[in-house]
Amino acid sequence: MGWFFRALNSSIGKKFVMAITGVCLLLFLIIHLVNNLTLFGGPELFNNVVKNLETIKPLVRVIEVILALIFVFHITNAIRLWIENKKARPVNYKINGSSKNSDIFSRTMFVSGSIIFIFLVIHLRTLWVAFNFGHPKAVTHEYFDILVEAFSSPIYTGLYLVALILLGYHLYHGFQSAFQTFGWNNKKFFPLIKKLGLIYTVIMIIGFASIPIYFFFFYGGNV
Amino acid sequence: MSGNMNLTLKIWRQKNANAVGGFETFNVKNISLDSSFLEMLDILNEELELKGVEPVAFEHDCREGICGACSLVINGRPHGPLDKITTCQLHMRHFKDGDIIWIEPWRAKAFPVIKDLIVDRTSFDKIIQAGGFVSVDTGGVPDANAILISKESIETATDAAACIGCGACVAACKNASAMLFVSAKVSQFAVLPQGQPERYLRVEAMVKRMDELGFGSCTNTYACEAECPKGISIRNIARMNRDYFMSKIKSENVEM
Ligand code: HEM
Ligand code: SF4
Ligand code: FES
């Protein structure tokens, strides 16, 4: 198996790990969004959806572990690549011309990723912990009200939206980048893939942003 | 149209590979709009020599955009502000009187500065030595049309073979990655029948060598393609990735 680990540790192999975990995360976001949009169905529907998920808790736990592992691989590889890539250019240019030859989304993947990570930690702390570990409202299955409470804070809602914009940067570059990494770039399909990436990003960002905005303006302060 | 101009040059100077370098300021006067960028540097060097100052060392050879010797990062752009040309093809009419021009060497761990603006690009040769060739046995001259090759393959191969090995892709990449160069050298054989016997061994060997030499990893910013004087496409990188994965899956080579 030596060849296998050497392959994964090669420059292209590390990119492959980034891309395959990245694509898993892209798919996860779709599921997550669909699940979240049930919030617009009102407290009853949402509370029921979460309650139903409770009944298949062991399965949910397994999926959560897999998801966590995907994040761990994505993030550890990102950090490794970032450090190695810094080392490959020990002296920087006095004049940085990168804005003339590349877009900002591609150049800020590590920054946008790091913000997403910080967001993720806060997000899990406020919502995942509340849903799973005995928040009084979770015990009585009033999950909907937990969100009403969270998004009543303008700071929390604001941070949420800023993080979403950076997620948009990450997704827009990441989507087509993964195809390029897998070697699926040809003259006919790549322009289409870039467009699909834009559509995916816009849907994800508008979809996820609609929730805090809706809660802040329609439920803000009604806790 | 030929008004002449005066310029301020901020040039990286470094005595040798181990010396600490820094920028020095030079003023050049009365430069013709028709002169090339390298001619402008020649004029500067002549003046420096007359003054008994060590001239600025920079690389050049053909001065017609085919050898890949000239380098120079000009105002933050490898080969200067124009697309798809080398430094030797850049003319002073693209600058304005009174401009301040920053001139730096290629920056990469795998391309150490030897002197002033000259870097050591032997690492590219080492990548080629690792597999950037087709091993042929000598013998009778084969029939011209014995092997049929589609026009599309020929075009893809010759487009890739247009790479002059200048290293601007490495210089432009924020990770100093050599993927565009290596992928061009892999692709020029990968799409031709003559390249098939060694197709997978070649890509594995060249990528391995590239990694050992301290080039960074690709993050798909596509800065390389934007700065390449020969317009080498990032589709070559995709092809190389594809071949690399296929080789890992299909070949029985456990050494690499
Ligand atoms: C839901 C969250 C995330 C999604 C959907 C996602 C998706 C992706 C995708 C699709 C790629 C492109 C892979 C490629 O270039 O082949 C990528 C690259 C990258 N991701 Fe993420 N990612 C997420 C979270 C993170 C986090 C938390 C970090 C933390 C540091 C991160 C750091 C990076 C970096 C640095 C790259 C560029 C690596 C490279 O191009 O070599 N990502 N991501
Ligand atoms: S790919 Fe382009 S930029 Fe890179 S070495 Fe070849 S010609 Fe120069
Ligand atoms: S000197 Fe030969 S390409 Fe510029």
Side-chain angles (χ1 to χ4, degrees):
Chain A
M1 286 300 272
W3 64 270
F4 180 73
F5 292 106
R6 274 197 299 280
L8 285 188
N9 282 313
S10 69
S11 56
I12 297 181
K14 277 177 281 196
K15 277 295 299 179
F16 183 75
V17 174
M18 282 315 288
I20 201 127
T21 52
V23 167
C24 291
L25 294 175
L26 294 178
L27 294 174
F28 159 69
L29 286 186
I30 297 177
I31 299 169
H32 195 36
L33 180 61
V34 169
N35 190 47
N36 287 4
L37 289 179
T38 59
L39 279 165
F40 287 110
E44 209 166 315
L45 177 68
F46 184 72
N47 289 343
N48 272 332
V49 168
V50 182
K51 236 193 299 185
N52 286 342
L53 283 175
E54 292 285 327
T55 59
I56 47 162
K57 206 68 188 181
L59 181 65
V60 173
R61 285 282 177 258
V62 171
I63 294 171
E64 278 175 350
V65 169
I66 295 172
L67 188 61
L69 282 177
I70 290 170
F71 265 111
V72 167
F73 277 113
H74 193 77
I75 295 169
T76 47
N77 248 281
I79 295 170
R80 254 177 88 193
L81 279 167
W82 185 73
I83 293 172
E84 287 168 8
N85 287 344
K86 286 271 165 232
K87 280 195 198 144
R89 160 133 331 120
V91 184
N92 276 321
Y93 292 108
K94 174 85 183 170
I95 307 290
N96 183 343
S98 58
S99 61
K100 305 266 167 44
N101 56 32
S102 54
D103 65 31
I104 185 155
F105 313 109
S106 68
R107 280 181 275 121
T108 51
M109 285 303 271
F110 193 73
V111 179
S112 58
S114 303
I115 305 274
I116 298 170
F117 179 71
I118 296 168
F119 167 79
L120 193 66
V121 174
I122 299 173
H123 182 63
L124 290 178
R125 235 183 70 101
T126 46
L127 298 180
W128 185 76
V129 172
F131 274 44
N132 285 279
F133 296 104
H135 187 287
K137 289 194 169 124
V139 178
T140 52
H141 300 302
E142 292 163 86
Y143 304 101
F144 192 86
D145 294 342
I146 299 177
L147 285 150
V148 172
E149 189 181 302
F151 291 128
S152 63
S153 152
I155 298 170
Y156 188 74
T157 309
L159 280 179
Y160 210 98
L161 294 176
V162 170
L164 277 177
I165 292 172
L166 280 144
L167 177 66
Y169 274 41
H170 206 81
L171 300 182
Y172 178 58
H173 175 74
F175 191 97
Q176 52 79 35
S177 177
F179 281 85
Q180 164 75 4
T181 299
F182 291 141
W184 294 331
N185 176 349
N186 81 11
K187 264 187 197 162
K188 277 188 194 160
F189 298 116
F190 208 53
L192 196 69
I193 287 166
K194 284 190 171 170
K195 276 194 200 98
L196 269 180
L198 182 61
I199 294 169
Y200 170 87
T201 306
V202 170
I203 292 177
M204 288 298 132
I205 299 316
I206 291 180
F208 280 115
S210 66
I211 295 161
I213 292 174
Y214 173 74
F215 274 83
F216 185 69
F217 286 108
F218 291 93
Y219 287 89
N222 295 353
V223 193
Chain B
M1 275 284 293
S2 54
N4 290 359
M5 55 184 173
N6 301 331
L7 301 161
T8 306
L9 308 176
K10 305 266 187 186
I11 301 180
W12 181 264
R13 308 242 28 201
Q14 184 174 333
K15 257 199 164 56
N16 54 51
N18 303 318
V20 181
F23 286 95
E24 271 180 39
T25 307
F26 300 94
N27 293 301
V28 282
K29 297 203 163 59
N30 212 22
I31 298 293
S32 159
L33 291 178
D34 299 325
S35 66
S36 77
F37 198 85
L38 296 186
E39 279 163 352
M40 185 271 295
L41 289 179
D42 291 337
I43 293 167
L44 168 71
N45 277 346
E46 263 174 46
E47 282 171 15
L48 292 181
E49 269 181 88
L50 286 177
K51 283 194 240 166
V53 179
E54 173 100 6
V56 176
F58 63 91
E59 254 187 299
H60 59 102
D61 189 14
C62 71
R63 296 213 180 191
E64 55 180 2
I66 54 172
C67 75
C70 58
S71 41
L72 305 189
V73 171
I74 300 162
N75 289 338
R77 309 273 313 268
H79 293 304
L82 270 70
D83 288 344
K84 294 196 182 151
I85 58 165
T86 54
T87 298
C88 59
Q89 294 170 299
L90 177 64
H91 282 76
M92 295 314 292
R93 56 178 171 273
H94 301 294
F95 295 88
K96 289 193 309 289
D97 186 40
D99 274 359
I100 298 172
I101 305 175
W102 291 82
I103 309 174
E104 304 177 63
W106 284 177
R107 295 283 187 203
K109 180 164 169 259
F111 287 164
V113 173
I114 304 173
K115 185 174 178 158
D116 295 344
L117 300 168
I118 300 185
V119 297
D120 182 355
R121 285 175 275 188
T122 351
S123 43
F124 267 11
D125 300 332
K126 290 180 184 159
I127 295 173
I128 296 294
Q129 282 160 3
F133 46 80
V134 168
S135 320
V136 277
D137 295 314
T138 48
V141 181
D143 232 9
N145 289 326
I147 305 171
L148 297 179
I149 304 171
S150 72
K151 181 164 176 289
E152 206 179 328
S153 303
I154 282 285
E155 277 175 359
T156 310
T158 43
D159 282 352
C163 165
I164 53 176
C166 64
C169 42
V170 177
C173 175
K174 76 178 176 62
N175 313 315
S177 163
M179 291 285 274
L180 193 65
F181 165 78
V182 181
S183 70
K185 299 302 177 192
V186 163
S187 291
Q188 63 186 5
F189 301 124
V191 296
L192 293 180
Q194 290 86 345
Q196 296 315 306
E198 290 159 307
R199 180 167 184 175
Y200 292 133
L201 203 60
R202 175 184 306 114
V203 67
E204 289 204 45
M206 289 175 79
V207 169
K208 180 164 175 275
R209 199 79 186 95
M210 168 181 87
D211 289 352
E212 287 164 358
L213 288 163
F215 291 102
S217 296
C218 179
T219 55
N220 299 339
T221 68
Y222 311 141
C224 52
E225 185 185 59
E227 298 291 7
C228 172
K230 298 295 152 186
I232 301 294
S233 164
I234 52 149
R235 281 191 297 279
N236 291 301
I237 298 181
R239 180 179 299 104
M240 176 162 80
N241 290 355
R242 221 152 57 212
D243 277 9
Y244 188 78
F245 301 141
M246 285 321 286
S247 176
K248 287 296 172 195
I249 294 166
K250 280 163 79 174
S251 83
E252 299 213 26
N253 172 18
V254 291
E255 308 295 304
M256 269 186 285

